[in-house]
Amino acid sequence: MCLEELADLQVLRASELQMSEDCHDDFPWSGEDVARQVRLRLRLLLALHNEGQGAELLKIPEIYENMFSTTLDLNAMGFSSIEALVQCWEDIFLQRSHLPGYVFPAETHENWRVVNTVTTGLRSAVFAILLARYPEGPDPFELVQCLEQTLSGKMSDMFKANGYIYDLDATTQGLLCGRGSEFQLADCAELQMLLHDMDDFVRLGCREDGSLVVKLRDGEFPLLDLLDCNVGDGTCSDNEIESKDLTSLKPCDVKLSISGLKTSSWSQSQSLQIGSWPNKLSDTEACNSNSNLLNPSPSPKIKHELRLILGSDNYIGNGLPVAEFFEVYKKRKGHTLPLEGYENLKAVVLAMPEVIDQTAFAATDCLKLVQSAKNLRVLSVTKAGLRQVLFWVLLKNPSGIWAELLEGWYLDFAGCTLSSTLTRHGYEKSRHSALLPVFQFLHDMADVLKIHPKNPHIYMWAEEVEDPVLSDSPLLGILPEMIQYDCLREDYENSRSKSNLSLHLATAGIQPYQGLDAGGSSNVCHKEDDCHSSSSEVSTDLGEMWENRHNSASS
């Protein structure tokens, strides 16, 4: 598809974009879209400017504005200066010690692939297919079929032409050749990388039955910005680098000018690094993970069970006496505690200092939960039923899930992003990594998840797992319906609604939040219980959950 045709598609969407402009501030992806589109533009800037031979660091904002007719908004992305951005985005920028003050395209497979999808027209084809099916979007296998039909070739050949062939084994080849009912996105690393490289306008989502789809982010296709940009050509002497703005190319020449880049030298470079999804966990959590490998500790499942028991209302304050522990555990779990090779309970306790307070254990012979950020946030998401959402996603994607998939799936399911929901449960928020809460959430769920043996960024079933509502509620000492997931109750509750509730109760002559205690004896609580009576019956059927959610919303 040529750029003129893409311009026509942009006109077709103009009315939709104008209609959504008024509510742009409330759109859940708007903040992160800024960084995604800027990252694409900076990759193209470094590839186009001076024929990819570098640019003066302090002139990057000026070159950016001249090329894309828009300012480089550093504050919107959380950066105080262009130097801070370059230092953070080391996967895009390369700095050389012998040429201080200049930046170059980082020699990585990811940068080469992204630019290559522009030159081959693959980005244009993906955009056209998703736009034709907007807003629903096709499932991953339907996208593959449409690409093969649009570009008149096999998907495996397209992967190879764009640098995506790494481990296309016989199983993946078979899935791409027609067994669509068996296709799982987690089984095709090449398609995952392709969608990841296009995440400035592509996201994952789900249909009402929970099945995975690929869709547009509801924003302009970034490549269309090139229709209005001024792309300069430049020369570079052997001794110095000069930034020069020469005559602008016509819009139809943009694709050809990018095609003329010496990207083949990138692919043949010995220093080229494989572009992969970086680990977004903190250094502390990474160190803890590594130390666990060196010093084996009780299984994540045992840790989770003790975390919930000690974090329940009965024992979160004063702890659980050791003399009562085995009785309580057997009552809530239905069997005795497996010691997993440890001599006794004391040895188990001493092996998990991140869960059980060692000082309290030595001084009072009581088991108390460590009041750490991780323990508290795991308790919070468990009581909110978010582990049940994870269970539903895995039912539809048994081959594995990852942060981008979970974020997009949840957005279509609940109407808001999972990352914003998780921040209300104690997960860290980062302006430089919007998905950090989701990465942490997946890392915390080690009792039900394990890392995929071939793809370290993918999580899959750790073992046969039952609905967390049924397994977690007895450990917390509560009824299953108390943690049955309800997106209307959980995901739309924010500080404004709480303030409005306080004002409403005060106006009615009731003390704010009266009756919202554990006793639940007031009329306010009884009315709330009546409103959620439809959730009293636990169900793991996703279709039924969707129907209940829509019925509740309409009523």
Side-chain angles (χ1 to χ4, degrees), residues 303-505:
K303 290 182 180 180
H304 179 72
E305 291 172 354
L306 296 186
R307 182 183 290 119
L308 295 193
I309 292 175
L310 299 180
S312 61
D313 293 341
N314 305 81
Y315 309 114
I316 187 67
N318 299 323
L320 172 61
V322 173
E324 303 175 15
F325 173 77
F326 284 105
E327 180 183 353
V328 171
Y329 182 90
K330 185 174 183 179
K331 181 179 179 180
R332 295 193 176 189
K333 190 60 183 173
H335 58 75
T336 58
L337 174 71
L339 295 179
E340 297 185 336
Y342 290 90
E343 294 182 3
N344 48 41
L345 177 60
K346 181 179 180 180
V348 175
V349 171
L350 294 178
M352 54 175 72
E354 73 278 20
V355 176
I356 299 178
D357 189 330
Q358 302 294 304
T359 303
F361 175 66
T364 64
D365 208 26
C366 276
L367 304 180
K368 293 190 66 175
L369 182 69
V370 174
Q371 303 290 306
S372 65
K374 177 178 179 177
N375 289 336
L376 295 179
R377 70 196 185 203
V378 170
L379 279 174
S380 185
V381 296
T382 301
K383 294 178 180 179
L386 287 172
R387 282 167 54 85
Q388 188 181 35
V389 175
L390 186 63
F391 177 74
W392 286 329
V393 179
L394 283 164
L395 285 178
K396 289 294 183 177
N397 302 275
S399 293
I401 61 174
W402 54 97
E404 290 85 353
L405 184 154
L406 186 56
E407 177 83 340
W409 194 97
Y410 185 87
L411 175 60
D412 286 344
F413 175 74
C416 61
T417 62
L418 179 60
S419 53
S420 62
T421 299
L422 290 172
T423 57
R424 298 201 296 270
H425 294 279
Y427 284 85
E428 298 177 26
K429 186 177 182 179
S430 171
R431 296 184 69 179
H432 296 164
S433 177
L435 293 182
L436 177 61
V438 186
F439 278 96
Q440 291 178 327
F441 176 61
L442 289 170
H443 183 261
D444 287 348
M445 300 296 107
D447 62 303
V448 294
L449 300 177
K450 67 178 180 180
I451 295 177
H452 195 285
K454 293 184 178 180
N455 294 293
H457 73 285
I458 294 181
Y459 292 82
M460 55 191 301
W461 293 115
E463 56 184 37
E464 186 176 350
V465 182
E466 65 175 326
D467 188 339
V469 165
L470 303 178
S471 60
D472 292 343
S473 56
L475 294 171
L476 289 168
I478 58 180
L479 297 175
E481 53 263 31
M482 296 181 68
I483 58 172
Q484 174 75 27
Y485 180 73
D486 185 344
C487 59
L488 295 177
R489 176 188 62 201
E490 161 63 26
D491 299 313
Y492 292 103
E493 184 182 34
N494 51 42
S495 57
R496 180 179 297 179
S497 64
K498 290 180 179 179
S499 299
N500 291 339
L501 177 60
S502 300
L503 179 61
H504 174 74
L505 295 176

Side-chain angles (χ1 to χ4, degrees), residues 78-273:
F79 296 106
S80 58
S81 63
I82 185 64
E83 293 88 347
L85 180 144
V86 169
Q87 185 176 5
C88 182
W89 289 358
E90 293 179 343
D91 58 325
I92 294 179
F93 294 94
L94 173 65
Q95 294 180 286
R96 294 172 176 167
S97 57
H98 66 284
L99 286 172
Y102 288 88
V103 290
F104 306 85
E107 295 179 340
T108 66
H109 272 294
E110 184 175 357
N111 288 339
W112 175 63
R113 291 194 313 259
V114 170
V115 175
N116 207 42
T117 57
V118 177
T119 69
T120 63
L122 186 55
R123 292 177 66 91
S124 305
V126 171
F127 172 73
I129 291 170
L130 298 184
L131 181 61
R133 290 155 181 79
Y134 177 82
E136 290 82 10
D139 65 46
F141 187 74
E142 289 172 345
L143 175 62
V144 169
Q145 291 180 313
C146 291
L147 282 172
E148 290 182 336
Q149 182 179 3
T150 302
L151 299 179
S152 301
K154 293 183 178 180
M155 196 68 220
S156 56
D157 295 333
M158 297 179 210
F159 284 143
K160 186 175 181 179
N162 287 275
Y164 288 93
I165 291 295
Y166 291 110
D167 185 24
L168 201 60
D169 55 25
T171 301
T172 304
Q173 287 277 16
L175 292 174
L176 291 175
C177 290
R179 300 203 301 269
S181 60
E182 303 175 16
F183 186 84
Q184 287 277 310
L185 185 55
D187 294 330
C188 186
E190 293 73 24
L191 185 55
Q192 295 169 38
M193 284 187 179
L194 175 65
L195 299 178
H196 173 75
D197 290 347
M198 298 183 181
D199 70 349
D200 49 289
F201 72 98
V202 171
R203 76 170 178 90
L204 297 173
C206 71
R207 293 174 177 153
E208 290 196 358
D209 64 353
S211 58
L212 192 66
V213 292
V214 183
K215 58 196 333 183
L216 291 176
R217 286 190 179 277
D218 224 7
E220 292 186 26
F221 180 52
L223 183 60
L224 297 179
D225 295 332
L226 292 175
L227 296 173
D228 301 319
C229 76
N230 298 316
V231 181
D233 192 7
T235 59
C236 180
S237 66
D238 294 335
N239 300 324
E240 63 180 355
I241 296 178
E242 297 179 357
S243 299
K244 298 180 180 180
D245 292 328
L246 302 180
T247 56
S248 301
L249 300 175
K250 297 178 180 179
C252 59
D253 295 331
V254 173
K255 184 176 178 180
L256 296 177
S257 72
I258 300 177
S259 301
L261 292 175
K262 300 177 181 179
T263 54
S264 59
S265 63
W266 289 13
S267 61
Q268 297 171 0
S269 174
Q270 297 298 322
S271 62
L272 204 62
Q273 301 173 2

